[in-house]
């Protein structure tokens, strides 16, 4: 049954598109126009959701690459989202669609433009009106300013969005501004840059929210307040992993259109507690061992530019390092989802939608949604802490697939953006060829977890301690006080054949070792130097020099101006496809 708003006709009249007459209809949720030529049996109907109408201008108007207006008094132009397949990724490119209508009179033209703007304001409540924009002029190819002013600013102007633009001058400029300055009146914050710039804004937005809520974000026992400001990402960096994993393409126009129409994608955030009461936040990668060593090595070769990562990766790989440690993790409920269930987190993801109901089931209109979230440690049915000892090539935790152009499926292809969990990946010590096979599979569609020295777990929290200090880390009050008391978790001595079997059997509190997985150390002659005793952590591209950390996943802590990756297989290009009479092409959300 159609809704009242769908059946409530707003406006209908005959309009001209080019030299053809069309019947145009504006309802509560769609703008449709159909060819009215009775002699043509193959009529085409185009239907644009009102939510994806970008703006309306009087006259014959062009916006990109340069704005031009030709006003005859009877014309108006509608701009909307138009999709196309990307040749290099599975996501969809968004472009600015444009249709020019000619009315019989100026009065009718004014009536159409007025009704369209009224419907936009009524049915798109999440559209931003005022944005705070930070531009990193040095990220990627140093073209952040050009990207914003030539591609993004015209779209904001078309949609009636005002923006306050700040070009950053130093590291943490954006973070400090968000923590200290008045943010009244802003609907969201936009980052024009790469993953480093996004990380600055993430820390600023989360930190400001906790300050205003009177919460101590350095305390791992605290349930953080959900951030009211949305974050938009205009990709202008070297990798743009966060944008790729949440939109599916690295394209400034696509990202700008998601911001304009007010898309909202919740995102899990991992808080990383280390040292004496310090905290950092991550959404893509917290990595120890190989990924930490590559980042540390690359800092010595910044003069190489982006090539330093490839060079450093080769050096670290040939060094063949592995590190001893104790990993403790709190498993998530395996019945909800699993890291090897072959699902992908796409737009409208069912796993994330059900997680929203689970995380906020007790919410009320009188308070913050997030204040009702009891935290990821309150469900005793989801198991207790599991402890793993051994030597690892790398230990990684990610809250998303962490896909990018070089790794289309990412570190964990079935990870979800907003289910309140992270994927813990343990790569045990192995021979160089085996590890190379694991790394190579990230660039293909092969299952990188289908290797005997690799295991993956869906978790809610992780601790890491140096070898022989697991009990000491467990007793460390700064990291675990209040956590074990909530779920009754503890670590007992025991054994298990593997963590996947552990989850399937519902075992609790087990400790495992890697005696059967440790191989004889091998040193490459080209990089023959003593292996350091400890590595460092790579936290979304920032080095954490403290090897012992505690990580906690905060479900849907922030929201992005995005909607997740749209499935390109379901695309129907309505502008090129001829359809039979009485059928409708819908540019659907």
């Amino acid at each position: 049954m159609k809704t009242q708003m769908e059946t409530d006709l707003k406006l209908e009249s005959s309009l001209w598109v080019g030299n053809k007459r069309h019947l145009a209809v504006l309802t509560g949720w769609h703008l449709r126009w159909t060819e009215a030529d009775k002699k043509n049996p193959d009529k085409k109907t185009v239907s644009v959701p009102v939510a994806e109408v970008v703006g309306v201008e009087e006259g014959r108007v062009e916006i990109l690459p340069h704005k031009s207006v030709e006003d005859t008094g009877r014309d108006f132009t509608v701009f909307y989202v138009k999709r196309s397949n990307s040749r290099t990724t599975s996501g969809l490119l968004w472009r600015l669609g444009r249709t020019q209508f000619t009315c019989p009179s100026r009065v009718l033209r004014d009536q159409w433009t007025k009704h369209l703007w009224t419907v936009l304001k009524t049915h798109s409540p999440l559209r931003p009106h005022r944005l705070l924009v930070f531009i990193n002029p040095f990220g990627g190819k140093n073209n952040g300013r050009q990207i914003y002013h030539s591609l993004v600013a015209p779209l904001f102007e078309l949609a009636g969005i005002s923006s306050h633009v700040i070009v950053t001058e130093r590291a943490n400029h954006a973070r400090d501004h968000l923590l200290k300055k008045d943010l009244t009146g802003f609907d969201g914050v936009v980052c024009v840059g790469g993953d480093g710039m996004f990380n600055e804004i993430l820390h600023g937005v989360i930190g400001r929210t906790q300050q205003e809520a009177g919460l101590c974000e350095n305390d791992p026992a605290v349930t953080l307040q959900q951030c009211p400001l949305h974050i938009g990402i205009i990709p202008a960096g070297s990798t743009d992993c966060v944008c790729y994993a949440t939109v599916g393409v690295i394209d400034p126009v696509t990202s700008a259109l998601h911001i304009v129409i007010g898309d909202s994608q919740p995102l899990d955030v991992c808080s990383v507690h280390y040292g004496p009461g310090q905290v950092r936040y991550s959404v893509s990668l917290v990595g120890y061992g190989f990924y930490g060593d590559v980042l540390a090595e690359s800092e010595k070769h910044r003069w190489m530019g982006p090539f330093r990562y490839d060079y450093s990766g080769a050096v670290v790989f040939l060094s063949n390092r592995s590190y001893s440690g104790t990993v403790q993790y709190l498993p998530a409920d395996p019945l909800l989802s699993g890291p090897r269930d072959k699902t992908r987190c796409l737009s409208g993801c069912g796993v994330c939608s059900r997680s929203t109901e689970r995380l906020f089931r007790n919410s009320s209109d009188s308070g913050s949604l997030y204040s009702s979230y009891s935290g990821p440690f309150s469900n005793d049915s989801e198991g207790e802490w599991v402890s793993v000892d051994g030597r690892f090539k790398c230990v990684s935790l990610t809250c998303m697939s962490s896909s990018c152009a070089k790794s289309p499926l990412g570190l964990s292809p079935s990870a979800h953006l907003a289910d309140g969990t992270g994927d813990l990946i343990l790569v045990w010590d192995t021979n160089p060829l085996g590890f190379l096979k694991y790394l190579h599979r990230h660039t293909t569609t092969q299952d990188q977890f289908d290797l005997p020295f690799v295991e993956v777990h869906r978790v809610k929290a992780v601790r890491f301690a140096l070898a022989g200090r697991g009990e000491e880390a467990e007793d460390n009050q700064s990291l675990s006080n209040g956590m074990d008391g909530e779920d009754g978790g503890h670590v007992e001595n025991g054994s298990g054949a593997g963590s996947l079997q552990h989850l399937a059997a519902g075992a609790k509190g087990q400790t495992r070792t890697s005696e059967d997985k440790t191989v004889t150390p091998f040193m490459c002659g080209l990089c023959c130097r003593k292996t350091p005793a400890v590595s460092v952590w790579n936290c979304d591209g920032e080095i954490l020099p403290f090897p012992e950390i505690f990580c906690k996943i905060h479900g849907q802590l922030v929201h992005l101006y995005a909607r997740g990756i749209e499935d390109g297989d379901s695309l129907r290009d309505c502008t090129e496809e001829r359809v039979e009479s009485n059928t409708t092409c819908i540019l659907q959300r």
Side-chain angles (χ1 to χ4, degrees):
M1 179 180 294
K2 293 186 178 181
T3 63
Q4 175 64 32
M5 192 57 66
E6 180 69 23
T7 57
D8 184 14
L9 183 65
K10 294 295 183 181
L11 192 60
E12 178 179 359
S13 62
S14 292
L15 305 176
W16 290 84
V17 178
N19 59 357
K20 294 184 178 181
R21 188 169 64 89
H22 286 68
L23 177 64
V25 179
L26 174 64
T27 65
W29 300 108
H30 287 88
L31 169 64
R32 296 187 177 95
W33 58 96
T34 306
E35 292 182 20
D37 187 359
K38 297 181 179 179
K39 298 180 181 180
N40 184 4
D42 297 329
K43 299 178 182 179
K44 184 177 72 171
T45 296
V46 177
S47 180
V48 178
V50 168
E52 294 185 1
V53 173
V54 176
V56 185
E57 292 280 338
E58 295 180 349
R60 297 178 175 270
V61 183
E62 293 271 8
I63 295 296
L64 298 176
H66 304 289
K67 185 173 183 178
S68 63
V69 180
E70 178 187 351
D71 190 2
T72 62
R74 297 186 296 117
D75 300 315
F76 68 94
T77 305
V78 177
F79 297 90
Y80 51 89
V81 172
K82 178 181 176 182
R83 293 167 173 80
S84 65
N85 279 316
S86 171
R87 296 180 180 179
T88 58
T89 69
S90 60
L92 297 179
L93 289 170
W94 283 18
R95 290 292 176 259
L96 186 64
R98 177 177 61 92
T99 299
Q100 297 171 342
F101 297 93
T102 300
C103 301
S105 66
R106 179 188 289 269
V107 174
L108 184 59
R109 191 274 305 272
D110 294 342
Q111 190 177 5
W112 268 98
T113 56
K114 179 181 178 180
H115 272 72
L116 280 167
W117 277 117
T118 300
V119 170
L120 283 180
K121 293 177 181 178
T122 304
H123 302 298
S124 301
L126 294 180
R127 291 197 179 202
H129 301 287
R130 188 166 180 239
L131 296 171
L132 178 59
V133 180
F134 291 98
I135 301 176
N136 179 6
F138 306 112
K141 298 180 180 180
N142 301 330
N143 58 352
R145 276 184 280 205
Q146 178 186 353
I147 288 175
Y148 177 77
H149 290 293
S150 64
L151 298 177
V152 179
L155 297 177
F156 286 178
E157 180 183 357
L158 171 64
I161 299 173
S162 64
S163 57
H164 178 63
V165 179
I166 297 176
V167 179
T168 58
E169 300 175 352
R170 55 178 173 81
N172 293 320
H173 184 172
R175 184 201 66 182
D176 294 344
H177 184 98
L178 291 168
L179 289 174
K180 300 175 183 178
K181 301 296 183 178
D182 184 13
L183 303 179
T184 303
F186 289 109
D187 302 304
V189 183
V190 175
C191 151
V192 184
D195 292 326
M197 187 67 174
F198 168 79
N199 198 262
E200 266 195 51
I201 291 178
L202 179 73
H203 281 76
V205 169
I206 295 177
R208 179 62 175 264
T209 303
Q210 310 321 309
Q211 284 181 13
E212 294 181 348
L215 300 175
C216 177
E217 59 181 324
N218 297 327
D219 183 356
V222 168
T223 297
L224 300 181
Q225 186 83 6
Q226 192 179 44
C227 303
L229 286 177
H230 276 59
I231 301 176
I233 306 174
I234 303 298
S238 301
T239 306
D240 300 305
C241 171
V242 178
C243 181
Y244 192 100
T246 56
V247 178
V249 294
I250 299 176
D251 179 68
V253 172
T254 300
S255 295
L257 290 173
H258 279 289
I259 295 172
V260 163
I261 69 173
D263 269 339
S264 182
Q265 171 63 53
L267 190 66
D268 297 336
V269 177
C270 174
S271 62
V272 183
H273 302 266
Y274 64 99
Q278 301 181 69
V279 64
R280 288 197 66 83
Y281 298 104
S282 166
V283 297
S284 60
L285 171 67
V286 182
Y288 183 81
F290 179 78
Y291 295 110
D293 289 349
V294 169
L295 182 60
E297 181 71 23
S298 70
E299 288 298 304
K300 306 174 185 176
H301 311 286
R302 297 190 67 88
W303 56 272
M304 290 185 175
F307 178 70
R308 69 184 184 271
Y309 298 113
D310 295 328
Y311 172 80
S312 300
V315 169
V316 173
F317 170 77
L318 293 173
S319 299
N320 192 41
R321 303 168 185 169
S322 63
Y323 300 93
S324 297
T326 298
V327 180
Q328 299 172 332
Y329 62 91
L330 185 64
D333 188 346
L335 299 179
L336 299 177
S337 65
R340 300 192 65 184
D341 57 14
K342 303 299 182 182
T343 62
R344 290 189 64 205
C345 187
L346 299 174
S347 179
C349 173
V351 172
C352 295
S353 298
R354 290 190 295 272
S355 297
T356 301
E357 299 172 0
R358 174 171 53 88
L359 294 174
F360 307 118
R361 62 168 58 98
N362 297 321
S363 63
S364 62
D365 294 335
S366 60
S368 167
L369 280 177
Y370 209 70
S371 64
S372 66
Y373 173 40
S374 60
F377 304 97
S378 60
N379 192 342
D380 292 338
S381 66
E382 296 189 12
E384 299 177 356
W385 289 87
V386 179
S387 181
V388 181
D389 298 302
R391 292 190 67 85
F392 304 96
K393 283 287 189 182
C394 57
V395 176
S396 307
L397 178 65
T398 180
C399 292
M400 58 173 60
S401 67
S402 295
S403 57
C404 63
K406 292 185 178 181
S407 179
L409 297 181
L411 286 175
S412 188
S414 294
H416 289 273
L417 296 174
D419 66 342
T421 69
D423 284 356
L424 172 67
I425 306 166
L426 304 177
V427 181
W428 300 86
D429 192 12
T430 187
N431 62 71
L433 290 180
F435 189 54
L436 180 61
K437 180 185 292 187
Y438 168 73
L439 294 176
H440 175 69
R441 288 191 177 184
H442 287 80
T443 66
T444 68
T445 57
Q446 289 182 283
D447 184 359
Q448 62 260 50
F449 304 138
D450 189 22
L451 294 167
F453 53 89
V454 180
E455 57 184 80
V456 59
H457 315 274
R458 188 142 289 173
V459 302
K460 298 184 294 180
V462 173
R463 297 190 189 104
F464 183 85
L466 297 179
R469 299 185 62 182
E471 293 183 1
E472 177 183 340
E474 186 179 354
D475 293 335
N476 190 328
Q477 294 300 311
S478 66
L479 295 184
S480 61
N481 184 28
M483 295 299 161
D484 292 338
E486 292 184 40
D487 57 46
H490 61 281
V491 179
E492 300 175 350
N493 293 327
S495 62
S499 58
L500 293 180
Q501 291 84 345
H502 154 79
L503 287 180
K508 296 185 178 182
Q510 296 183 358
T511 301
R512 297 185 290 112
T513 64
S514 62
E515 294 178 0
D516 58 335
K517 298 189 178 184
T518 303
V519 300
T520 303
F522 170 85
M523 294 297 291
C524 173
L526 295 177
C527 300
C528 176
R529 47 186 171 179
K530 185 177 180 181
T531 302
V534 297
S535 180
V536 296
W537 286 93
N538 179 342
C539 182
D540 283 1
E542 298 290 332
I543 294 177
L544 299 185
F546 296 87
E548 299 190 347
I549 65 172
F550 172 80
C551 302
K552 175 181 176 181
I553 310 300
H554 301 267
Q556 305 186 12
L557 185 60
V558 298
H559 282 75
L560 303 185
Y561 285 119
R563 64 171 61 174
I565 300 175
E566 292 184 302
D567 187 3
D569 295 336
S570 63
L571 173 68
R572 297 166 62 190
D573 192 345
C574 300
T575 61
E576 298 180 0
E577 181 182 0
R578 301 297 300 181
V579 295
E580 296 182 357
S581 180
N582 298 326
T583 61
T584 303
C585 274
I586 301 179
L587 302 175
Q588 40 187 328
R589 179 171 179 173

